């Protein structure tokens, strides 16, 4: 009889509709074989990911699939980030072009990218590319405690396979870093007294070490971005090992490389063009439009579509979304209303 390795922990990842088979039927079959097979220890199931307000459909050309994602020109790591940010771990979630744009521009560009870039630029501009001496104050030590807490939380969440929530801890650390820089203003202190210059050095040194930590925490989520940060910082290989405690790996005297921006802004017109391109030849909710001349559109379905599209327009206006996005959705709503009027006219004529 085969021997199941006792040190193996088997994790299964799947969509929720596969759970009954892999949690009951297949394990029972393995037990029935009486051959000491390895049984699943942790079964991780995701809910459904929807597309905009409807469903993905290859047959109708609705949604972005693997081969299409490359065609959009949006880097693979941005796709990885957003799909994990909205990962349907506890309930169904939706992919949204507008939300993708907002998360890229706020969380990646203005939060994470802004912090990493500023920390590196301060080292390059103020300290000739060399990590300065750090004399930690009580304020700095409190920051290290907060970062260590987020790091510990990140590790615990990944152990529980709560991948989406662990990503929030990464973004929280870069938020702490941005606040730390804003409060201490090293760009001002570097022109001040000797004490101010030392303070600017400490803040810069701590910030660039936080960037190094973020590069490691990002590795499972954004491998290309992680590698780019480490190349810019010339981070040593030993930094790629996480404990529950934040340690400054880049010591005073460490030389960093060339610093450059990590992310680009996504523009509303670019995103709207992509949304239209991958919306298929049908109404937004995934109902296929009737071919020209057939006149078989169902008034009941169209009323439902008009209602949903009206709700979408109201929601976007309440969110004060970009005008071009709202105008496009209004245009779709008017087109649906026109089709509904035609369908109701035909239905009345048949009675």
């Amino acid at each position: 009889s085969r021997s199941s390795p006792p040190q193996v922990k088997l994790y299964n990842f799947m969509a929720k509709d596969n759970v009954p088979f892999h949690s009951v039927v297949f394990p029972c079959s393995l037990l029935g074989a009486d051959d000491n097979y390895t049984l699943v220890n942790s079964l991780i199931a995701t809910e459904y990911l929807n597309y905009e307000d409807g469903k993905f459909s290859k047959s109708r050309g609705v949604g972005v699939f693997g081969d299409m994602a490359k065609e959009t020109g949006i880097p693979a790591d941005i796709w990885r980030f957003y799909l994990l940010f909205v990962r349907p771990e506890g309930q169904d979630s939706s992919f949204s072009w507008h939300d993708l744009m907002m998360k890229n521009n706020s969380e990646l560009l203005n939060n994470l990218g802004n912090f990493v870039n500023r920390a590196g630029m301060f080292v390059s501009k103020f300290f000739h590319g060399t990590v300065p001496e750090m004399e930690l104050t009580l304020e700095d030590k409190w920051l290290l405690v907060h970062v260590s807490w987020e790091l510990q939380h990140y590790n615990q969440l990944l152990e529980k396979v709560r991948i989406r929530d662990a990503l929030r801890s990464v973004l929280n650390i870069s938020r702490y870093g941005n606040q730390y820089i804003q409060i201490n203003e090293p760009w001002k202190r570097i022109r001040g007294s000797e004490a101010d210059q030392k303070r600017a050095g400490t803040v810069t040194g701590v910030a660039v070490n936080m960037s190094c930590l973020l590069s490691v925490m990002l590795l499972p989520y954004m491998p290309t971005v992680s590698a780019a940060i480490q190349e810019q910082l010339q981070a040593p290989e030993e930094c790629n090992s996480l404990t529950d405690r934040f340690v400054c790996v880049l010591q005073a005297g460490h030389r960093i490389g060339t610093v450059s921006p990590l992310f680009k802004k996504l523009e509303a017109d670019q995103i709207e063009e992509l949304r239209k391109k991958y919306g298929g030849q049908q109404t937004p909710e995934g109902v296929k439009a009737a071919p020209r001349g057939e006149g078989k559109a169902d008034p009941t379905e169209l009323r439902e579509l008009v209602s949903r599209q009206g709700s979408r327009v109201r929601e976007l206006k309440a969110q004060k979304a970009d005008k071009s996005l709202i105008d496009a959705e209004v245009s779709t709503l008017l087109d649906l209303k026109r089709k509904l009027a035609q369908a109701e006219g035909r239905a009345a004529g048949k009675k």
Side-chain angles (χ1 to χ4, degrees):
S1 135
R2 299 180 186 180
S3 176
S4 173
Q7 76 275 18
V8 171
K9 287 188 177 180
L10 179 58
Y11 288 74
N12 284 175
F13 293 82
M14 64 193 66
K16 62 181 177 181
D17 50 342
N18 295 317
V19 169
F21 177 80
H22 285 281
S23 63
V24 179
V25 179
F26 188 54
C28 285
S29 301
L30 295 176
L31 289 169
D34 197 23
D35 213 7
N36 201 26
Y37 286 108
T38 299
L39 300 178
V40 64
N41 298 102
S42 295
L43 193 152
I44 300 95
T46 54
E47 307 283 329
Y48 293 145
L49 177 70
N50 296 316
Y51 182 79
E52 294 284 341
D53 292 329
K55 295 182 179 179
F56 284 84
S57 173
K58 277 194 173 181
S59 62
R60 294 192 297 266
V62 179
V64 182
F65 296 88
D67 55 340
M68 302 172 185
K70 187 176 180 181
E71 298 171 3
T72 65
I74 297 174
D77 269 14
I78 307 302
W79 288 109
R80 293 185 179 107
F81 163 80
Y82 183 66
L83 291 173
L84 290 169
F85 192 94
V86 298
R87 188 171 185 261
E89 292 184 357
Q91 60 185 22
D92 292 355
S93 64
S94 292
F95 171 88
S96 161
W97 282 106
H98 179 69
D99 192 45
L100 167 64
M101 178 184 72
M102 296 295 289
K103 294 298 184 294
N104 176 83
N105 295 348
S106 60
E107 293 293 355
L108 294 183
L109 185 65
N110 294 335
N111 176 13
L112 177 65
N114 181 55
F115 170 66
V116 172
N117 189 251
R118 291 171 90 189
M121 286 301 295
F122 291 157
V123 175
S124 298
K125 186 176 179 180
F126 302 150
F127 301 97
H128 310 291
T130 302
V131 176
E133 294 283 346
M134 290 167 274
E135 297 179 8
L136 301 184
T137 65
L138 185 61
E139 176 195 349
D140 303 323
K141 291 175 182 177
W142 270 115
L143 174 66
L144 267 59
V145 168
H146 282 299
V147 172
S148 293
W149 186 89
E150 288 290 355
L151 173 59
Q152 182 179 353
H153 194 48
Y154 167 93
N155 289 332
Q156 290 171 346
L157 288 168
L158 286 185
E159 284 294 328
K160 296 174 183 175
V161 201
R162 289 171 57 185
I163 298 170
R164 182 191 62 197
D165 293 339
L167 182 55
R168 267 61 172 183
S169 289
V170 180
L171 299 171
N172 285 342
I173 289 176
S174 58
R175 254 187 288 278
Y176 286 142
N178 277 315
Q179 292 166 2
Y180 177 63
I181 287 174
Q182 282 304 117
I183 291 170
N184 285 281
E185 300 180 319
W187 61 90
K188 289 184 180 178
R189 292 181 182 270
I190 196 65
R191 298 194 299 267
S193 64
E194 184 179 347
D196 277 340
Q197 291 176 18
K198 283 185 178 179
R199 183 64 189 151
T202 297
V203 171
T204 298
V206 170
V208 82
N209 270 283
M210 288 175 66
S211 294
C212 187
L213 172 67
L214 287 168
S215 74
V216 185
M217 297 175 76
L218 279 172
L219 183 57
Y221 295 93
M222 306 178 78
T224 305
V225 170
S226 170
I229 297 172
Q230 296 204 358
E231 183 179 356
Q232 291 182 23
L233 299 182
Q234 292 293 292
E237 182 60 35
E238 56 265 27
C239 77
N240 288 301
S241 177
L242 288 182
T243 64
D244 282 346
R245 186 164 163 263
F246 170 40
V247 178
C248 290
V249 177
L250 306 182
Q251 293 294 307
H254 173 83
R255 287 199 64 82
I256 69 169
T258 303
V259 177
S260 58
L262 297 169
F263 305 107
K264 292 182 179 179
K265 184 178 182 180
L266 291 176
E267 301 291 348
D269 54 352
Q270 171 194 3
I271 289 299
E272 178 56 23
E273 185 178 335
L274 289 169
R275 194 185 71 82
K276 288 179 179 178
K277 181 177 179 180
Y278 297 103
Q281 302 302 313
Q282 64 288 312
T283 57
E285 314 305 324
V287 177
K288 196 168 185 178
R292 288 184 182 178
E294 289 188 13
K296 295 182 180 178
D298 183 355
T300 304
E301 286 185 353
L302 283 169
R303 286 190 202 98
E304 176 67 19
L305 291 171
V306 167
S307 175
R308 290 187 188 179
Q309 186 65 9
S311 298
R312 176 171 175 76
V313 169
R314 287 190 293 275
E315 182 182 339
L316 288 172
K317 287 182 177 179
Q319 295 171 353
K320 296 184 179 179
D322 189 270
K323 185 176 182 299
S324 62
L325 182 59
I326 294 175
D327 288 346
E329 296 294 352
V330 170
S331 176
T332 301
L333 176 60
L334 294 174
D335 185 53
L336 285 171
K337 286 183 175 179
R338 179 182 57 79
K339 290 178 180 177
L340 174 59
Q342 292 174 349
E344 287 178 333
R346 281 191 294 268
K350 289 179 182 177
K351 291 180 181 179

